[in-house]
Amino acid sequence: MSDIKATAEEQQALKTKLTQHLNFIYKEIELGQNTESLSDDLINIMGLDKSCYQPIAYQNHWSQQDVIMITYGDSIVKKEQKPLVSLQHFMDTYLGASVNSVHILPFFPYSSDDGFSVIDYSSVNEGLGDWHDIKEIAKHRRLMSDLVINHCSSRSAWFENFIKGEGIGHDYFYTAPADIDTLDVVRPRTSDLLRETQTGKGVQHVWCTFSHDQVDFDFRNPEVLKSFVSIIRLYLDMGVKIFRFDAVAFLWKKLGSSCINLPETHEVIRLLRTLIEHSHPDAVIITETNIPNTQNLTYFGNANEAHAIYNFSLPPLLINTLVTGSCLYLKRWLMSMPPAQNGTTYFNFIASHDGIGLRPAEGLLNDEEINSLVETMQEFGGKVSWRSTESGQPKPYEINIALYDALQGTTEGKDELGLQRFICAHAIMFALEGIPGVYIHSLLGTQNDYEKFENTQQNRSINRHRWDYQALQEKLADTDNHHHIVLAKLKGLLDIRIKQPAFHPNATQFTLHLGLQLFGFWRQSLDRKQSIFCVSNINNEEIVFAINSLNLIMSEDWIDLLTGATIDMELETLTLAPYQTMWISNCDMGVNNLH
C-alpha cells in the first residue's frame, strides 16, 4: 500500500468525484438528502476522513507470481477441527509457495445455494470458524472474498424486517407490480421472477433474479449502498485484498428494460472502486459477470471499474477444443480479445464451484457446437442447467461436471488420455495473459460427486465434493494415485510459471497460426527480455511440425521449460505427443521435467 496520504485538496477531490458518481446513479431518484451529504456519509463509513490514500492510476497490483486457488471454506474437513484451520493446513502443507492467493467462497451464515444466499454479512459461519481464522489465512495468502451484492437470504434480519415493515432492511428490497411485463428481463434461471410475500404493509411481490430464497436489493435506496460500503470496510479490516462482486451485472433494475448491465450498475462499481482504492490502493475488484463476451469486457470501463474480469468464455472454448481436437473457435476468440491495459487484467479459470457457463460461448460457438459439447459432457456424467430465453424457450445455461471427468475423452467417447488432456488444459490456462484461478478440485483431480448430487438434487453439487482430510492425505501419499499425480503435475507447472517474467498477467500476447490441431501463442515480458512460445497438441495423435513455423531467433538458445530440453535449431521439426505442451523460452528461469 502507498504510504502517501491524500492532502486536504486531494480529499476534496475525492468528495467531488464521489458526488459525481452519486449524481449519475441517482439522477432519476428523489433522495432524502443531497449527494454531497451522501458523499460525506460514505467517506465517514470507509474511514477516509481519518486516513485517505491517493491511488496511482493504471498501476498493476499483480505479477506472474499470483495464482488464486478457488475453494469453499469446508472443501476439506477433519474431525474436531474447524474447516478453515484444515484448509490453511492443507495449503501450507501441500501448496506452499506455488499458490499465493486463495478465494474462499462465501464463508458467512447462509440458507441456500452453498453460501450465496447470505443471512449475515458481518459474521463467519460458525461451522467453518471465525474471523480470527480468516485473518490468519489472510496473513499467509492474499485473500479473495465474495461481496454478494445483488441479493441476500430471505431468512436474513433485513428481509424479516421487510416482512414486518419496520427496522433496518424494511425498505432494502426491490418490488414490482404482480402484472408487470418482464418479457425483456434477462435471467439465468427459469423460476418465477417475482415472489409473493405477505408483509405488514400488505402483499408485496419481491424481485428474485436467482431463486425465491435470494431476494434482490433495491439500490435506488442509498441506505442499501451505505450498508454495503460498511460491509466492504469490515472485510478490508479482516484482511480481504480481492473483492469478487458476485452477480453484479443484475444489480440495478429498471422496469421496461433488460435489468442487466444497466449504466447505473457500471457507475455503482466505479463508485465502490473509488472508495476502495482510496482506502487500500493495492486492493482489487473482480466482477463476476457470466454473460456474453462482448458485454463482459465492458466491466473494465476505462480502467476505472473492475481491475479484473472473469474470462468466462475460456472454459467452454478450451474444453470444446480438447474434446473436438480443433482449436478453431478458441483461436478465433483469443485473436479477438483486446490486451488488458495496465491497471486491468483477465482472471482466467477453466473450473469453478459453478459449472461450465454457456452464455459466454454464445456468438463464439454455434448452436451445433454447443449442443455437441452438452451431449459429450452428459456422456461423461455431467448435468445441464437451463435458462429461459426472451421467447420463454429453455436453453442450456451451464454444464455441471468435474473438470477431470469432463476431459476423460473426446466427442468420440472416453479414452486413455484423460490425464494428459487434463494437464494440457491447465498448461494452456496457466500461460495465458491474466491471473490464473485454479479450483481446489482441479488441483486434486476430484471426480463427479454423484452421492452429493443425489442428496441435494442440485446439479452444481456434482462438482462441490467435500474431502475428508485424512482420506485425502492417504491418497496424496500414494504416488500411483491419480490425485497425487494431478497435484504434483499442476504444482510443477505453477512452480515454473511463477518464475517467468513473460507470464506476467500484462505481458504481451500474440496468437500463433499453427493449424487447427496445434494451439499456440507467444508471450513477451514487459522488459522484452524473455519470450515464451506456448504450443500445445490439442489432438489425440502425435504431431510433427516445422520449427521455423515459430520464427525463433536463430542466434539465441531456446529451451522447453517443461522438460528442460534444449531446442536443437539444426533440426527441421519438433514432435509433440498427444496433449503435450511446450513452453519454449530464450531464458532459463527455472525448468522442470514434467513429462
Side-chain angles (χ1 to χ4, degrees), residues 134-146:
I134 292 293
K135 292 173 78 171
E136 282 298 308
I137 290 173
K139 288 179 183 177
H140 297 87
R141 281 176 173 78
R142 203 173 189 191
L143 177 61
M144 177 170 166
S145 171
D146 290 273

Side-chain angles (χ1 to χ4, degrees), residues 490-501:
L490 293 189
K491 274 190 63 181
L493 286 172
L494 290 172
D495 288 343
I496 296 171
R497 175 209 151 77
I498 63 180
K499 298 174 183 175
Q500 314 307 320

Side-chain angles (χ1 to χ4, degrees), residues 404 419 441-447 465 467 471-472 474-490:
Y404 191 82
L419 177 62
H441 292 305
S442 294
L443 283 171
L444 298 174
T446 309
Q447 296 179 269
H465 183 69
W467 277 101
L472 176 61
E474 292 172 359
K475 292 184 182 296
L476 295 180
D478 180 359
T479 56
D480 293 327
N481 189 285
H482 88 268
H483 300 290
H484 170 93
I485 295 169
V486 165
L487 181 60
K489 286 186 174 292
L490 293 189

Side-chain angles (χ1 to χ4, degrees), residues 500-551:
Q500 314 307 320
F503 285 153
H504 185 285
N506 293 86
T508 299
Q509 176 174 287
F510 283 110
T511 308
L512 303 176
H513 298 281
L514 305 171
L516 297 183
Q517 295 180 323
L518 288 177
F519 178 65
F521 49 94
W522 171 70
R523 303 294 309 278
Q524 184 184 57
S525 59
L526 297 174
D527 62 8
R528 301 187 179 182
K529 291 181 179 179
Q530 185 187 29
S531 288
I532 302 178
F533 290 83
C534 308
V535 183
S536 296
N537 177 1
I538 49 87
N539 198 265
N540 57 9
E541 296 181 357
E542 181 180 275
I543 291 181
V544 179
F545 69 101
I547 289 182
N548 62 16
S549 64
L550 299 179
N551 292 321

Side-chain angles (χ1 to χ4, degrees), residues 39-157:
S39 295
D40 287 332
D41 289 346
L42 299 180
I43 288 170
N44 292 335
I45 292 169
M46 281 293 288
L48 298 179
D49 53 330
K50 301 179 180 66
S51 178
C52 180
Y53 295 86
Q54 186 62 21
I56 300 172
Y58 304 106
Q59 186 176 39
N60 296 324
H61 302 298
W62 42 77
S63 74
Q64 65 273 15
Q65 296 179 347
D66 286 299
V67 178
I68 302 175
M69 182 182 76
I70 306 164
T71 182
Y72 280 102
D74 60 354
S75 290
I76 297 173
V77 294
K78 183 179 180 180
K79 289 183 180 179
E80 299 181 0
Q81 187 175 71
K82 292 183 288 187
L84 289 174
V85 174
S86 300
L87 176 62
Q88 180 162 337
H89 185 273
F90 166 79
M91 292 189 292
D92 292 345
T93 304
Y94 292 99
L95 302 183
S98 304
V99 177
N100 71 347
S101 306
V102 58
H103 172 203
I104 305 178
L105 290 154
F107 45 79
F108 319 103
Y110 71 96
S111 56
S112 63
D113 199 16
D114 282 354
F116 286 92
S117 185
V118 179
I119 292 175
D120 179 9
Y121 290 86
S122 63
S123 63
V124 175
N125 184 345
E126 292 181 355
L128 300 177
D130 53 32
W131 281 120
H132 170 77
D133 302 313
I134 292 293
K135 292 173 78 171
E136 282 298 308
I137 290 173
K139 288 179 183 177
H140 297 87
R141 281 176 173 78
R142 203 173 189 191
L143 177 61
M144 177 170 166
S145 171
D146 290 273
L147 187 72
V148 185
I149 195 170
N150 178 71
H151 52 261
C152 73
S153 169
S154 64
R155 289 172 48 194
S156 65

Side-chain angles (χ1 to χ4, degrees), residues 111-239:
S111 56
S112 63
D113 199 16
D114 282 354
F116 286 92
S117 185
V118 179
I119 292 175
D120 179 9
Y121 290 86
S122 63
S123 63
V124 175
N125 184 345
E126 292 181 355
L128 300 177
D130 53 32
W131 281 120
H132 170 77
D133 302 313
I134 292 293
K135 292 173 78 171
E136 282 298 308
I137 290 173
K139 288 179 183 177
H140 297 87
R141 281 176 173 78
R142 203 173 189 191
L143 177 61
M144 177 170 166
S145 171
D146 290 273
L147 187 72
V148 185
I149 195 170
N150 178 71
H151 52 261
C152 73
S153 169
S154 64
R155 289 172 48 194
S156 65
W158 286 344
F159 195 69
E160 289 177 357
N161 286 343
F162 169 80
I163 292 173
K164 290 188 293 185
E166 59 183 20
I168 298 174
H170 79 276
D171 53 357
Y172 276 22
F173 299 95
Y174 196 92
T175 60
D179 59 352
I180 192 71
D181 182 1
T182 59
L183 186 62
D184 293 331
V185 175
V186 173
R187 297 179 63 219
R189 299 290 186 271
T190 57
S191 58
D192 291 339
L193 175 61
L194 299 179
R195 162 190 163 143
E196 184 177 301
T197 304
Q198 183 67 48
T199 76
K201 298 179 180 179
V203 174
Q204 301 279 331
H205 293 86
V206 182
W207 198 277
C208 298
T209 299
F210 291 89
S211 78
H212 283 192
D213 185 46
Q214 294 165 298
V215 284
D216 283 30
F217 291 111
D218 186 354
F219 271 84
R220 295 175 303 176
N221 179 358
E223 294 302 317
V224 177
L225 177 63
K226 289 182 190 179
S227 289
F228 272 93
V229 171
S230 179
I231 292 164
I232 288 170
R233 177 70 262 174
L234 171 65
Y235 293 179
L236 287 169
D237 291 341
M238 294 298 114

Side-chain angles (χ1 to χ4, degrees), residues 251-537:
L251 180 141
W252 197 270
K253 288 83 174 169
K254 187 179 295 184
L255 298 182
S257 77
S258 64
C259 296
I260 188 171
N261 306 323
L262 296 185
E264 291 86 351
T265 291
H266 285 279
E267 198 67 30
V268 169
I269 296 171
R270 294 186 192 112
L271 173 121
L272 294 178
R273 169 158 176 171
T274 298
L275 290 167
I276 289 171
E277 65 185 4
H278 277 81
S279 175
H280 284 64
D282 59 342
V284 170
I285 294 170
I286 302 181
T287 49
E288 187 269 333
T289 46
N290 192 355
I291 51 181
N293 192 56
T294 53
Q295 298 175 27
N296 192 28
L297 288 169
T298 65
Y299 282 86
F300 277 140
N302 182 23
N304 61 351
E305 289 188 42
H307 294 89
I309 61 172
Y310 272 74
N311 226 341
F312 273 111
S313 296
L314 179 60
L317 291 179
L318 181 50
I319 293 168
N320 180 73
T321 291
L322 291 166
V323 299
T324 63
S326 169
C327 66
L328 173 64
Y329 299 99
L330 180 63
K331 188 164 73 169
R332 280 181 183 172
W333 165 76
L334 194 66
M335 291 172 62
S336 72
M337 291 294 282
Q341 62 178 314
N342 283 331
T344 66
T345 192
Y346 294 104
F347 181 62
N348 296 323
F349 72 107
I350 44 178
S352 73
H353 62 291
D354 290 338
I356 304 164
L358 295 176
R359 283 213 76 207
E362 294 175 10
L364 302 172
L365 294 177
N366 58 40
D367 288 345
E368 184 179 347
E369 289 284 340
I370 289 177
N371 291 336
S372 175
L373 179 61
V374 167
E375 290 171 5
T376 302
M377 294 300 100
Q378 287 177 313
E379 288 178 10
F380 296 163
K383 308 295 179 182
V384 181
S385 297
W386 300 83
R387 71 178 180 91
S388 295
T389 64
E390 291 78 0
S391 60
Q393 298 300 310
K395 192 170 185 177
Y397 169 75
E398 181 180 84
I399 303 169
N400 306 108
I401 190 170
L403 184 64
Y404 191 82
D405 284 335
L407 295 174
Q408 286 307 294
T410 67
T411 52
E412 297 176 356
K414 291 187 177 182
D415 57 29
E416 300 301 317
L417 295 169
L419 177 62
Q420 293 91 323
R421 196 177 290 111
F422 183 80
I423 300 303
C424 177
H426 287 88
I428 291 172
M429 191 262 282
F430 290 161
L432 285 169
E433 174 190 357
I435 299 171
V438 57
Y439 192 30
I440 189 171
H441 292 305
S442 294
L443 283 171
L444 298 174
T446 309
Q447 296 179 269
N448 290 336
D449 190 336
Y450 297 111
E451 182 179 352
K452 188 169 186 178
F453 165 73
E454 289 297 331
N455 288 337
T456 67
Q457 290 298 303
Q458 299 293 321
N459 286 355
R460 286 177 169 178
S461 295
I462 201 170
N463 192 27
R464 297 178 177 180
H465 183 69
R466 184 176 294 152
W467 277 101
D468 174 79
Y469 197 11
Q470 183 176 345
L472 176 61
Q473 288 174 309
E474 292 172 359
K475 292 184 182 296
L476 295 180
D478 180 359
T479 56
D480 293 327
N481 189 285
H482 88 268
H483 300 290
H484 170 93
I485 295 169
V486 165
L487 181 60
K489 286 186 174 292
L490 293 189
K491 274 190 63 181
L493 286 172
L494 290 172
D495 288 343
I496 296 171
R497 175 209 151 77
I498 63 180
K499 298 174 183 175
Q500 314 307 320
F503 285 153
H504 185 285
N506 293 86
T508 299
Q509 176 174 287
F510 283 110
T511 308
L512 303 176
H513 298 281
L514 305 171
L516 297 183
Q517 295 180 323
L518 288 177
F519 178 65
F521 49 94
W522 171 70
R523 303 294 309 278
Q524 184 184 57
S525 59
L526 297 174
D527 62 8
R528 301 187 179 182
K529 291 181 179 179
Q530 185 187 29
S531 288
I532 302 178
F533 290 83
C534 308
V535 183
S536 296
N537 177 1

